[in-house]
């Protein structure tokens, strides 16, 4: 009989969102008239912007004619998109990233998981806690951890607690860690990293020969001009950091699928014998062997995000969600809840009233106010006593949700 990769059996059974789904389905089945508002899963609600739609329509028509039809494209992405990214996301910020350092993919979720292919199992890994579960689960699958403890912490991973007391930015570890995941603006806490914080991380990485995996999926939501939008704004980051970016949240591509990963050519890794090698060709080989490119139509849609119309339209989209975030922040604060995030990120991170456990607050909010959020403990042990609400929703739902929470806590 074929044998299973037992690393997968170490994963905690109830992945966060399926468990939420089970509880919501059960409640809805028992209360068919309840009008449930979901502020749980971080999926966008607004349609693709017109610039993207027009570009994709045009691309579809090109596919209908022999002269303009496209088959397999370059695995790393079409030049038109890689150049648009290099110019608009980096050059415009005074950052030098070459188009061929950009690897276009079908998602940052996949990329943050797939990147582990190119790293030895012996590397030590640190994650923020609470954390985007993908980073942890893919390390478990890769075999880098032992079993999980009662709080869901896996043996062998270093957890960097992010709590109100440290402003949700973790202390820099004293000891050497080979690979550190950083997500800013953060999902789930909505925290951002100041320039000084990132300078410290880059210095740490240089000192210890560590690598930073920087997830900037939410950079478009930053409102504060002093916050770096890319880690490469920090001097020296090119040699210590890989950056993950996605069109999912800024341009509503969660269902359309397009993202990219930046692997600078000066980023070096070491062999067992201590020989230095560039990571770029290794990742390039992995990407082109296991991935066959994002569809031409979708890449044209992503390219259109960078046109003047596309920039204006996506800016409006972000503005819309950030107004939702503001309404949630203000409404919850008025209800006496301590809230964090929501100023440079589409997530509100709140302290559960009375410090009740996250899942208790989830059940209370679901059964009494018919609202769905995400229990903080589902993102990690340090998320216990916190709760996440997403600003991705219609204005009417957000306004209604605020009224319901205020009534619940009266
Ligand atoms: C939504 C999200 C992404 C983007 O994932 P895609 O696969 O590109 O849709 C990446 N990182 C975090 C932390 C996210 O929340």
């Amino acid at each position: 009989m074929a044998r299973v990769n037992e690393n997968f059996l170490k994963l905690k059974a109830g992945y966060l969102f399926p468990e939420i789904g089970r509880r919501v389905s059960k409640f809805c089945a028992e209360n068919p008239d309840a009008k449930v508002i979901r502020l749980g899963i971080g999926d966008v609600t607004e349609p693709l912007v017109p610039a993207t739609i027009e570009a994709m329509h045009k691309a579809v028509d090109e596919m209908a004619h022999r002269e303009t039809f496209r088959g397999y494209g370059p695995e790393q992405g079409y030049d038109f998109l890689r150049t648009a990214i290099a110019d608009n996301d980096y050059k415009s910020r005074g950052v030098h990233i070459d188009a061929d350092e950009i690897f276009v993919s079908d998602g940052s979720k996949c990329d943050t998981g797939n990147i582990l292919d190119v790293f030895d199992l012996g590397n030590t890994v640190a994650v923020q806690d609470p954390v985007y579960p993908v980073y942890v689960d893919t390390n478990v699958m890769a075999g880098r951890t032992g079993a999980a403890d009662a709080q869901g912490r896996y043996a062998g991973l270093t957890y960097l607690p992010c709590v109100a007391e440290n402003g949700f930015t973790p202390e820099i570890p004293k000891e050497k860690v080979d690979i550190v995941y950083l997500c800013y603006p953060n999902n789930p806490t909505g925290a951002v990293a100041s320039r000084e914080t990132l300078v410290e991380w880059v210095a740490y990485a240089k000192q210890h020969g560590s690598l930073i995996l920087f997830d900037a999926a939410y950079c478009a939501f930053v409102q504060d001009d002093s916050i770096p939008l890319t880690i490469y704004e920090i001097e020296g980051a090119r040699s210590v950091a890989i950056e993950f970016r996605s069109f999912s949240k800024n341009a509503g591509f969660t269902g359309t699928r397009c993202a990219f990963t930046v692997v600078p050519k000066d980023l070096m890794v070491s062999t067992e014998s201590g020989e230095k090698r560039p990571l770029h060709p290794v990742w390039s080989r992995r990407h082109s062997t296991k991935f066959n490119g994002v569809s031409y139509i979708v890449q044209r849609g992503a390219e259109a995000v960078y046109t003047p119309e596309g920039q204006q339209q996506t800016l409006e989209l972000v503005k819309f969600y950030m107004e939702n975030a503001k309404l949630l922040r203000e409404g919850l604060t008025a209800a006496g809840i301590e809230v964090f995030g929501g100023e440079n990120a589409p997530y509100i991170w709140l302290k559960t009233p009375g410090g009740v456990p996250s899942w208790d607050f989830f059940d209370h909010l679901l059964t009494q106010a018919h609202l769905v959020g995400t229990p903080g403990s589902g993102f990690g042990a340090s998320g216990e006593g916190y709760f996440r609400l997403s600003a991705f929703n219609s204005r009417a739902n957000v306004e209604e949700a605020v009224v319901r929470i205020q009534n619940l806590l009266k």
Side-chain angles (χ1 to χ4, degrees):
M1 194 178 276
R3 280 189 38 200
V4 67
N5 177 344
E6 291 190 29
N7 293 320
F8 283 70
L9 309 183
K10 294 177 197 160
L11 292 166
K12 298 248 291 170
Y15 177 70
L16 177 60
F17 293 109
E19 176 60 25
I20 292 173
R22 272 192 292 280
R23 294 193 191 201
V24 174
S25 303
K26 182 165 176 285
F27 176 79
C28 290
E30 289 164 3
N31 303 273
D33 296 333
K35 187 174 165 283
V36 172
I37 297 179
R38 292 161 203 264
L39 299 161
I41 295 178
D43 196 1
V44 299
T45 53
E46 300 307 298
L48 296 175
V49 298
T52 289
I53 292 294
E54 279 162 34
M56 292 206 298
H57 274 303
K58 189 161 159 273
V60 167
D61 288 337
E62 287 178 46
M63 295 300 258
H65 303 283
R66 189 177 305 278
E67 301 71 38
T68 48
F69 166 79
R70 312 273 180 137
Y72 289 125
E75 290 96 346
Q76 291 87 347
Y78 283 102
D79 280 340
F80 62 77
L81 180 55
R82 298 170 93 192
T83 304
I85 292 167
D87 288 349
N88 293 280
D89 283 332
Y90 296 105
K91 207 169 170 190
S92 69
R93 308 277 310 169
V95 171
H96 182 89
I97 293 291
D98 280 328
D100 65 357
E101 294 175 317
I102 294 163
F103 296 84
V104 175
S105 78
D106 59 348
S108 285
K109 181 181 186 174
C110 333
D111 286 349
T112 52
N114 290 335
I115 198 75
L116 294 180
D117 274 6
V118 297
F119 297 115
D120 186 82
L121 266 188
N123 286 298
T124 51
V125 168
V127 294
Q128 290 168 287
D129 173 19
V131 64
Y132 182 52
V134 177
Y135 315 151
V136 171
D137 289 0
T138 52
N139 272 286
V140 176
M141 291 172 184
R144 196 169 277 112
T145 72
D149 67 13
Q151 289 174 304
R153 283 192 168 123
Y154 290 91
L157 286 185
T158 299
Y159 290 88
L160 308 173
C162 300
V163 289
E165 290 70 27
N166 61 17
F168 304 98
T169 46
E171 318 303 331
I172 295 201
K174 304 271 181 296
E175 67 285 9
K176 169 180 178 272
V177 180
D178 299 310
I179 297 173
V180 183
Y181 290 80
L182 293 178
C183 176
Y184 288 114
N186 190 262
N187 176 12
T189 68
V192 285
S194 67
R195 182 170 299 275
E196 297 71 47
T197 297
L198 293 182
V199 165
E200 283 177 36
W201 274 112
V202 168
Y204 169 86
K206 290 206 151 202
Q207 185 191 341
H208 296 285
S210 315
L211 185 94
I212 297 170
L213 298 179
F214 193 76
D215 186 344
Y218 296 95
C219 64
F221 294 83
V222 170
Q223 310 292 306
D224 176 342
D225 290 340
S226 74
I227 303 293
L229 300 187
T230 153
I231 192 158
Y232 302 120
E233 286 180 46
I234 309 304
E235 172 102 40
R238 278 182 57 91
S239 62
V240 297
I242 291 175
E243 182 163 284
F244 302 96
R245 300 270 284 255
S246 172
F247 295 94
S248 283
K249 311 295 163 45
N250 65 327
F253 272 53
T254 53
T256 307
R257 312 303 305 145
C258 197
F260 59 92
T261 290
V262 181
V263 183
K265 289 188 190 141
D266 21 4
L267 187 82
M268 305 298 274
V269 284
S270 143
T271 65
E272 193 181 2
S273 62
E275 197 188 329
K276 283 189 182 165
R277 294 284 186 88
L279 189 65
H280 184 276
V282 182
W283 177 248
S284 186
R285 185 63 195 266
R286 189 268 166 217
H287 193 73
S288 49
T289 300
K290 291 199 186 180
F291 184 64
N292 234 343
V294 174
S295 98
Y296 173 71
I297 298 160
V298 168
Q299 290 191 61
R300 281 296 185 198
E303 180 195 23
V305 167
Y306 297 108
T307 60
E309 303 74 42
Q311 291 282 279
Q312 186 54 41
Q313 292 161 2
T314 47
L315 208 65
E316 289 296 321
L317 205 55
V318 166
K319 204 169 127 208
F320 171 77
Y321 291 128
M322 290 310 289
E323 278 163 13
N324 284 348
K326 186 162 181 275
L327 290 173
L328 284 167
R329 269 186 71 86
E330 291 174 354
L332 298 182
T333 304
I337 297 181
E338 199 177 348
V339 301
F340 307 94
E343 288 175 313
N344 294 290
Y347 295 117
I348 309 293
W349 188 243
L350 59 97
K351 263 212 158 113
T352 60
V356 302
S358 301
W359 276 109
D360 290 2
F361 186 64
F362 174 90
D363 289 331
H364 186 61
L365 209 56
L366 175 61
T367 57
Q368 305 306 308
H370 308 166
L371 294 176
V372 182
T374 316
S377 57
F379 295 104
S382 298
E384 181 58 279
Y386 293 92
F387 199 78
R388 190 190 78 176
L389 292 177
S390 154
F392 294 129
N393 220 311
S394 67
R395 182 59 42 81
N397 275 352
V398 166
E399 286 170 345
E400 171 72 18
V402 167
V403 170
R404 288 189 197 174
I405 291 174
Q406 290 180 340
N407 288 336
L408 182 69
L409 296 179
K410 248 198 219 135

